[in-house]
Amino acid sequence: MHDELTQVDINKMKEELEHRRLVLRPQLIEEVKVARSFGDLSENFEYKAAKREKNRNDSRIRYLENMIKTARVIDAAPSGEGIGLFDKVTFWIEEDEEEETIQLVTTLRQDALKGLISKESPVGKALWGHKEGDRVLIEASPTYSYYVQIRSVEHTGEDPDIPISTF
């Protein structure tokens, strides 16, 4: 599977990758060397912690390299009148009788707690291409679905300040 990402996503990953390779990795290797010099490795917490951080960084480097290599670059420009990438959407959840506002983003920038919802999520897929006033069925799982009424759509364009997800 290829993730659909914008050129801004790719550039942000390349910046992080460069930082992790050229700055962070040498620092973490040095920390492992220093911790190793403290003696018995079987009871050396500093060594284990330094090694764990180095491994986490190496894992993130591999992840970023793979994402860049396999990504399919897409255009973030709006495509027609319907809901698209980076649009802010306000909708009424009929079942809960409450209003919610979200922004559709690429999978790399999703953060549900901040209202940044992936276009690949059930909500994102359901809303994609619809217009203000449409009633849309969101299938959260095979056994649960609900209707929303789209109240407004704001075509905002890509915001390069939305950070990419980290772990």
Side-chain angles (χ1 to χ4, degrees):
M1 182 180 123
H2 299 287
D3 286 299
E4 293 181 336
L5 305 172
T6 66
Q7 189 59 50
V8 171
D9 291 333
I10 301 292
N11 294 344
K12 286 178 177 263
M13 285 190 299
K14 285 179 178 178
E15 287 173 17
E16 182 182 345
L17 186 59
E18 183 176 338
H19 172 75
R20 286 182 176 277
R21 279 184 182 150
L22 301 177
V23 178
L24 201 53
R25 191 162 199 279
Q27 288 174 353
L28 293 171
I29 288 171
E30 185 59 32
E31 287 177 19
V32 169
K33 286 179 186 176
V34 169
R36 180 178 291 195
S37 69
F38 293 159
D40 184 9
L41 297 183
S42 65
E43 295 181 14
N44 187 337
F45 175 78
E46 290 83 2
Y47 173 76
K48 290 177 183 174
K51 191 82 165 146
R52 182 176 55 241
E53 284 306 309
K54 181 194 162 299
N55 290 341
R56 285 187 70 195
N57 187 60
D58 290 346
S59 176
R60 180 69 177 176
I61 288 172
R62 286 188 302 276
Y63 170 79
L64 291 169
E65 288 172 339
N66 189 50
M67 287 292 287
I68 291 168
K69 183 172 62 174
T70 63
R72 194 176 122 229
V73 179
I74 59 172
D75 187 10
S79 56
E81 295 178 24
I83 295 170
L85 195 56
F86 298 107
D87 289 348
K88 288 188 179 177
V89 182
T90 300
F91 54 86
W92 177 257
I93 304 169
E94 295 176 4
E95 184 178 290
D96 297 338
E97 295 186 358
E98 64 181 39
E99 191 173 83
E100 187 170 335
T101 300
I102 63 161
Q103 184 173 15
L104 287 184
V105 296
T106 58
T107 55
L108 199 59
R109 299 194 207 182
Q110 67 188 354
D111 186 345
L113 297 177
K114 294 180 180 175
L116 303 172
I117 305 299
S118 168
K119 70 183 202 69
E120 302 297 326
S121 70
V123 173
K125 286 179 183 177
L127 294 176
W128 191 266
H130 285 278
K131 300 175 189 159
E132 186 175 320
D134 287 355
R135 185 173 185 241
V136 179
L137 176 66
I138 297 177
E139 296 184 46
S141 73
T143 59
Y144 178 68
S145 60
Y146 58 96
Y147 281 96
V148 299
Q149 178 81 33
I150 300 173
R151 295 234 167 129
S152 69
V153 178
E154 181 185 347
H155 301 290
T156 60
E158 185 169 14
D159 181 357
D161 293 332
I162 300 173
I164 61 174
S165 302
T166 59
F167 58 79

